[in-house]
Amino acid sequence: MKIIDMHCDTISRIYQERKQQKTASLRENLFQVDLTKMKHAGYLLQNFALFIDLSQTKDPYQTFQEQFAVFQEEMQQNSDLIAPVTSYSEILSNEKQQKMSALLTLEEGEVCGGDPARLTEIYEMGVRMMTFTWNYPNSLGFPAEPVCPQPEHGLTDTGIEFLAEMERIGIIADVSHLSDEGIRDVCRFATKPFCASHSNARSLCGRGRNLPDGLIRKIAEKGGVIGANYYGPFLSDIPNERNIFFGRIKDISRHIRHISDIGGIYCIGLGSDFDGIDDNLEFKNCSQMELLEQELRNCGFHTSEIERIFYKNVLDFYQELL
């Protein structure tokens, strides 16, 4: 089964390891994602997020550039296995060459410092998807968690301007981490489909990072895709007997079923959040994706539906937008 994953933090994790003078490589490592594991599992494409924690840097754009340098280096050193893509045609070309594809994304819109001209810079560097926020309010809007001080806090005027510019130049809007009102603003002002790259269903797990049913429907109606997140605290409100929120495969499947029931089979994909989450997971890394495939079969999904979930929905989404 081919796989497209809309979100992992592996490049940022490699960057952090190297800052601590440790050796880390994308080709093979002890993390949740590496190229050897991806190839074994049958990955077609992985979105690689450059994640910027505003509390850990005085210069978000500089940190972004440093992480981008890591991404470039890893792409060059592993060009026999993977190549970066900025268009749908490049994905198909890589597949014909039996190479995996890497789509570069940005997790934290404040990297642009509220300047829309920066969007052109990051687009030219290869970024094709961006979240407006992470967990802190910024010049673009307000996050889902920690809980917004006021429920009406959504996108700022600058955030609305950014949305229009992102659509104009070709950077996909990603509403994961954005507040409910912010997502409603995107639904209101967007003229193109957008995504929630790594979000689950709030009716099954009450975290603010998850999507209420109404927003699942709106994203689907807009032609968007939601990537199911594997993180235990976003899968269940109830910890296990050791008081650990454990990422169980049946719970991932449960969220996938719910999102597909609410928004339709064409709105659901995968957004693991690998290497941005802990190791309290039933399957420890991306090499074991066949376990999720089997669980989806056990839950009554047909092969054609599993193909939609595993890669076809996101591939169609990229065909329209890249």
Side-chain angles (χ1 to χ4, degrees):
M1 184 75 69
K2 298 176 187 176
I3 299 162
I4 295 179
D5 182 352
M6 297 182 76
H7 188 89
C8 80
D9 291 298
T10 310
I11 296 296
S12 296
R13 185 162 180 184
I14 291 171
Y15 167 76
Q16 293 296 338
E17 291 286 302
R18 291 181 181 177
K19 281 187 68 177
Q20 299 174 40
Q21 309 302 314
K22 298 178 182 178
T23 300
S25 166
L26 184 60
R27 194 176 192 92
E28 195 165 326
N29 57 51
L30 297 178
F31 307 154
Q32 292 161 342
V33 171
D34 67 29
L35 298 181
T36 303
K37 300 182 189 88
M38 287 170 59
K39 187 172 179 63
H40 171 81
Y43 272 68
L44 176 64
L45 182 149
Q46 175 69 60
N47 284 16
F48 287 101
L50 305 186
F51 160 60
I52 314 299
D53 184 340
L54 296 181
S55 71
Q56 301 297 315
T57 179
K58 295 180 180 179
D59 189 339
Y61 191 66
Q62 177 63 32
T63 302
F64 160 72
Q65 290 178 311
E66 292 169 0
Q67 291 193 26
F68 175 71
V70 173
F71 176 77
Q72 279 191 308
E73 178 185 335
E74 291 296 335
M75 291 299 105
Q76 291 166 1
Q77 290 182 352
N78 296 289
S79 59
D80 58 323
L81 294 179
I82 195 167
V85 294
T86 57
S87 68
Y88 175 74
S89 62
E90 289 174 341
I91 299 171
L92 300 185
S93 176
N94 282 348
E95 186 178 20
K96 287 180 180 178
Q97 298 175 60
Q98 298 186 322
K99 289 185 181 183
M100 296 178 288
S101 291
L103 188 75
L104 185 63
T105 75
L106 174 56
E107 188 174 25
E108 179 50 79
E110 193 58 27
V111 161
C112 296
D115 181 3
R118 277 270 170 88
L119 287 172
T120 301
E121 292 181 34
I122 67 171
Y123 177 86
E124 291 174 349
M125 295 168 75
V127 172
R128 290 297 181 270
M129 182 184 293
M130 186 181 85
T131 69
F132 293 89
T133 65
W134 184 56
N135 286 351
Y136 308 108
N138 62 23
S139 62
L140 305 183
F142 292 82
E145 291 188 351
V147 177
C148 284
Q150 298 295 331
E152 67 271 15
H153 283 177
L155 290 183
T156 64
D157 290 343
T158 301
I160 295 169
E161 180 184 1
F162 261 62
L163 173 62
E165 182 65 7
M166 289 163 70
E167 291 189 328
R168 186 187 73 81
I169 66 176
I171 295 178
I172 297 168
D174 182 354
V175 298
S176 284
H177 286 285
L178 194 58
S179 67
D180 288 0
E181 190 57 33
I183 300 174
R184 292 188 189 98
D185 286 338
V186 176
C187 292
R188 188 178 304 124
F189 293 109
T191 62
K192 295 181 179 181
F194 55 91
C195 72
S197 67
H198 54 303
S199 297
N200 288 335
R202 194 178 300 169
S203 65
L204 300 185
C205 177
R207 291 289 293 266
R209 265 282 282 111
N210 289 338
L211 297 166
D213 289 353
L215 289 180
I216 291 172
R217 290 191 190 95
K218 285 182 179 294
I219 293 170
E221 288 167 1
K222 283 284 190 175
V225 180
I226 298 162
N229 192 309
Y230 306 170
Y231 185 38
F234 296 166
L235 291 168
S236 175
D237 291 317
I238 303 171
N240 65 14
E241 63 279 359
R242 296 170 56 200
N243 204 34
I244 292 171
F245 288 94
F246 196 75
R248 298 184 300 177
I249 294 171
K250 72 176 185 179
D251 286 331
I252 300 170
S253 178
R254 196 165 58 100
H255 280 264
I256 289 172
R257 169 60 76 188
H258 182 84
I259 292 169
S260 67
D261 285 347
I262 296 298
I265 192 62
Y266 293 95
C267 83
I268 180 65
L270 303 175
S272 67
D273 211 359
F274 273 147
D275 290 322
I277 58 179
D278 58 37
D279 289 321
N280 294 314
L281 299 168
E282 187 173 350
F283 59 108
K284 296 303 183 184
N285 58 60
C286 70
S287 72
Q288 299 177 311
M289 290 297 294
E290 74 277 1
L291 299 178
L292 179 58
E293 179 184 347
Q294 185 57 53
E295 181 61 28
L296 291 173
R297 293 188 191 280
N298 295 343
C299 291
F301 284 100
H302 301 298
T303 297
S304 61
E305 295 173 316
I306 298 172
E307 287 176 340
R308 285 255 142 237
I309 296 161
F310 265 48
Y311 76 98
K312 282 188 175 180
N313 286 339
V314 180
L315 189 61
D316 289 349
F317 180 72
Y318 288 161
Q319 183 176 14
E320 180 175 358
L321 295 173
L322 293 180

